[in-house]
Structure formats: C-alpha cells, structure tokens
C-alpha cells in the first residue's frame, strides 16, 4: 500500500496534556495536567442558552457570530481591554479561542513563515503553527519572574519572521506581562513589521492586585494585533466552544472566511447564552472569580511546598509550575510517570 499521511499530519503529535490525562486515568490519579474549570456556569447564561434551543434558534448564525454577541464583545473589549472594535467588521466569533487562533494563522501565515513564541509555551500554539506549516522560534522566559530579553527576540528574528505570540496571563508560566514589557514587545514588533497574535483567555484570572494589559490597546499596535480570547474559562464553559478574535477589518474579513470554511459558525444557542452573560454580569462577578482562583492557587502552592516541590507562584491563569528536580527521572515526563507509578502501586 502506498497510502500515507500528509507530512503536516506526521508533524503533529497528540497534545501532551491530552496524553497525560489518559495516563492519569489509567493510573487512577488526580488529574492536574489539564485545565478544567470547576466554578458554576452563571445561571443567566445557562437559561439563555436553554431558551435559545427551546425557541428554535438552532440554525447557523452569521459566519462571524450573532450580532448581539459581536456587539457585547465590542462593548466588553472597549471597557475592559481598551480596544475599539466595530462589531460589524472587526470581530469573528469562533469555535473557542483555539478556533480563533487557527483561523487567524490560516488567514495570515504562509508555509515557512517564522513565528516567535515565549517558552514555556502552550502546546496548542505550537501545534497550530505546525498545522499551517509555519516555523515556531522560541524565546526563553526566565524563572522565577519569567523575564525575557529583547536581545534574544532580536537574535531569533530574521527576514522570514512574520509574527509573535503573546499569551497573557500565560499558560503554563502564570506570567502576567507588565505594561512596560508589552511596550517593549510593541516597539520590537513594529520595528520588524510583525503581527502580534495574543491569547488572553485568562484575562480575568489575575492575582495580587495585578491588572491585565491587552497588547492591542497599546499605541500603534492596533493595526497589527489579532486579539484572541474566549469564554471557556471565565464562564466555565470549556465544552461550549465560544471564543473570538478582534482585529482590523482587513484581517478580520479573511479570518472570518476561514472561520466560515472550517466551522461555519460557533454553536448558535450557546452564542445567545454568552451574549446575555457578557451584557448582564457586572464587575463583581469577575472580581469574585479572581478571588476564588487566588484561594485555590494559594492552597495548591502550599501543598506543593509541603511535599518538597517548590512552586513558582503564578501571577495569573490557573497553572502552577513547580521545581521537580528532587524527583527521580531524566526529564519532567519521566518524573511525572514515576509519580503515577507510585500512585498505581500505592
Ligand atoms: C493558553 C490557552 N489558550 C487557549 C485555551 C483553550 O481555550 P478555548 O477553550 O477558548 O479554545 C487554553 C485551554 O487550556 C489555554 O490554556
């Protein structure tokens, strides 16, 4: 048989977090690998989605999302993120922020284009780039503060570099990029004429009085920034698959065409639910969300310290990186498998 996989397909491995979840289930362990939300979905959102189904609003929406959802996102992104967006032309509602990022990469990157990512990175960002045959290049974030050097960005930049990905708050580092850091990235991206793809899915998960700065709100960056976020985490609806990108109309139009091609639209009745949530929930909802996750962060970090795994205290998002060098094994995968083995025997 001469049939074979595409070269593209052979480059994509199963996402590590999915593989770890499967291993964890086999070992009967507690799954700390995959980001699962456990807060209650706000009642107004559940009821409106339900009403959407009952009222028969079950057909396709416009390819870039329901008008009321795009309008609600435009209000939110102006008030919270400081970005002005026209709901008619600049917003594409997609199948989660994952879908939004994939569509943006398809619309804006060619095979061979290089894209800078900060390391540690979120694995889906890398795999999405590989799927569109772009080439990831890595700039190190240095613990404990996850600082980076513009010199390193300069060193890995060349004439093929087309974009940089900024995930703030970041998975898995928990880094919240400061305004000063983002301004230096903005200057760098402008000087090298790069797109800035953001991933702001954890924009409300902020600790110790930190605030979220959206790269797209910085001077001169609006035109080249594709601001990506979604509602999976904020509203605890990871399975609903509702996210979005915001960008200038010239990019949004093409990103929207890709979204139409791949997803046609995001799930219709669920868009109604999210639109109501965005319009009705006030600041106190988002503040309480951050307080609740801060309590959980403190608890898990304390436990990690108690068992001898020094934790880097996350500034935002809901992941914790810990120093596992005291455990047996050559790398973190072997060390976590060792832990799972211990659990299976014990
Ligand atoms: C950094 C980051 N971006 C995106 C996602 C997925 O978001 P969505 O459900 O909106 O596709 C996750 C989920 O773990 C994530 O950690």
């Amino acid at each position: 048989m001469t049939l074979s996989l595409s070269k593209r397909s052979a480059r994509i491995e199963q996402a590590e977090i999915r593989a770890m979840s499967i291993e964890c289930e086999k070992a009967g362990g507690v799954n700390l690998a995959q980001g699962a939300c456990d807060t209650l979905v706000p009642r107004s959102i559940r009821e409106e989605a339900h009403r959407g189904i009952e009222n028969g609003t079950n057909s396709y929406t416009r390819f870039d999302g329901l008008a009321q959802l795009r309008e609600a996102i435009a209000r939110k992104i102006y008030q919270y993120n400081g970005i002005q967006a026209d709901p008619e032309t600049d917003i594409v509602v997609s199948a989660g922020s994952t879908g939004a990022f994939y569509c943006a990469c398809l619309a804006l990157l060619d095979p061979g284009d290089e894209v800078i990512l900060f390391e540690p990175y979120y694995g889906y960002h890398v795999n999405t780039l590989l799927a569109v045959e772009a080439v990831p290049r890595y700039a190190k974030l240095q613990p404990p503060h996850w600082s980076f050097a513009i010199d390193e960005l300069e060193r890995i930049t060349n004439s093929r570099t087309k974009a940089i990905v900024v995930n703030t708050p970041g998975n898995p580092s928990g880094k919240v990029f400061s305004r000063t850091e983002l301004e230096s990235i903005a200057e760098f991206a402008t000087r090298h004429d790069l797109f800035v793809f953001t991933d702001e899915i954890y924009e409300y998960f902020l600790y110790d009085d930190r605030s979220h700065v959206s790269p797209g709100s910085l001077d001169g960056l609006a035109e080249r920034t594709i601001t990506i976020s979604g509602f999976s985490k904020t509203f605890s609806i990871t399975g609903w698959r509702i996210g979005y990108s915001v960008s200038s109309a010239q990019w949004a139009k093409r990103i929207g065409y890709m979204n139409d091609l791949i997803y046609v639209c995001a799930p219709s009745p669920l868009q109604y639910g999210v639109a109501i949530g965005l319009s009705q929930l006030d600041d106190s909802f988002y503040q309480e969300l951050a307080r609740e996750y801060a309590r959980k962060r403190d608890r898990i970090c304390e436990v990690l310290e108690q068992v001898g795994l020094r934790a880097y205290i996350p500034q935002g998002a809901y992941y914790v990186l810990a120093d596992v060098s005291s455990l047996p094994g050559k790398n973190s995968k072997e060390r976590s498998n060792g832990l799972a083995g211990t659990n299976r025997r014990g």
Side-chain angles (χ1 to χ4, degrees):
M1 190 168 83
T2 53
L3 297 177
S4 66
L5 291 170
S6 67
K7 293 192 185 71
R8 181 186 315 109
S9 170
R11 274 197 293 272
I12 312 276
E13 294 296 331
Q14 182 179 45
E16 196 71 30
I17 51 176
R18 295 246 178 269
M20 291 306 285
S21 295
I22 292 166
E23 284 304 313
C24 180
E25 199 158 301
K26 277 194 226 155
V30 177
N31 189 356
L32 299 177
Q34 199 165 357
C37 304
D38 60 355
T39 50
L40 202 62
V41 181
R43 179 187 291 277
S44 57
I45 297 181
R46 281 181 281 141
E47 285 180 352
E48 190 64 14
H50 190 235
R51 208 170 293 128
I53 294 170
E54 292 302 326
N55 289 348
T57 46
N58 296 301
S59 337
Y60 307 127
T61 64
R62 206 172 92 169
F63 67 96
D64 51 358
L66 272 182
Q68 54 264 57
L69 179 53
R70 281 182 282 109
E71 281 155 18
I73 291 170
R75 281 194 300 276
K76 173 260 177 202
I77 201 147
Y78 180 65
Q79 286 161 5
Y80 185 67
N81 305 83
I83 295 172
Q84 216 145 7
D86 181 341
E88 194 52 32
T89 56
D90 302 351
I91 296 174
V92 179
V93 176
S94 188
S97 64
T98 306
F101 183 53
Y102 185 48
C103 292
C105 289
L106 276 173
L108 304 175
L109 298 177
D110 281 315
D113 283 345
E114 298 193 4
V115 178
I116 298 173
L117 296 164
F118 290 100
E119 186 182 10
Y121 49 75
Y122 172 53
Y124 275 59
H125 291 155
V126 173
N127 276 351
T128 304
L129 293 172
L130 294 177
V132 302
E133 301 179 52
V135 180
R137 301 294 307 266
Y138 303 103
K140 271 216 165 4
L141 293 171
Q142 296 291 352
H145 301 299
W146 308 108
S147 50
F148 62 93
I150 285 287
D151 283 355
E152 193 183 352
L153 299 186
E154 296 287 355
R155 196 174 49 70
I156 58 175
T157 301
N158 59 52
S159 58
R160 292 181 301 277
T161 313
K162 180 95 181 271
I164 181 168
V165 176
V166 181
N167 175 207
T168 182
N171 173 7
S173 64
K175 178 181 176 64
V176 175
F177 283 75
S178 69
R179 181 173 293 277
T180 312
E181 287 173 322
L182 291 171
E183 280 168 353
S184 70
I185 294 172
E187 190 279 324
F188 166 80
T190 307
R191 189 153 35 81
H192 291 283
D193 200 19
L194 308 180
F195 279 114
V196 179
F197 294 112
T198 78
D199 179 338
E200 303 176 42
I201 190 87
Y202 298 106
E203 59 195 329
Y204 293 107
F205 296 69
L206 300 160
Y207 311 127
D208 311 321
D209 297 324
R210 285 194 173 74
S211 42
H212 177 64
V213 179
S214 279
S217 69
L218 299 180
D219 274 353
L221 224 52
E223 279 295 302
R224 59 180 69 251
T225 302
I226 317 300
T227 299
I228 294 173
S229 192
F231 307 99
S232 289
K233 316 288 177 172
T234 308
F235 294 154
S236 241
I237 49 171
T238 52
W240 284 26
R241 315 307 307 130
I242 314 266
Y244 60 87
S245 65
V246 175
S247 58
S248 89
Q250 57 182 324
W251 318 129
K253 180 174 168 181
R254 297 292 164 170
I255 294 170
Y257 289 174
M258 291 297 177
N259 195 60
D260 187 15
L261 179 65
I262 302 168
Y263 306 113
V264 182
C265 65
S268 164
L270 308 185
Q271 290 190 54
Y272 283 93
V274 170
I276 281 291
L278 266 185
S279 308
Q280 290 188 349
L281 293 166
D282 60 18
D283 289 351
S284 64
F285 168 80
Y286 301 97
Q287 285 156 4
E288 180 47 33
L289 183 75
R291 274 197 295 270
E292 182 168 346
Y293 275 92
R295 286 192 288 272
K296 291 174 182 169
R297 174 198 70 163
D298 293 346
R299 236 170 92 196
I300 186 82
C301 289
E302 244 176 69
V303 172
L304 286 168
E305 290 287 339
Q306 280 164 16
V307 298
L309 303 177
R310 199 173 61 83
Y312 297 110
I313 310 296
Q315 304 164 356
Y318 58 41
Y319 301 88
V320 183
L321 283 179
D323 182 352
V324 293
S325 54
S326 60
L327 298 175
K330 283 198 290 298
N331 52 39
S332 46
K333 201 167 183 178
E334 274 188 25
R335 287 169 174 136
S336 59
N337 283 342
L339 275 183
T342 309
N343 188 40
R344 203 173 7 232
R345 283 192 298 277

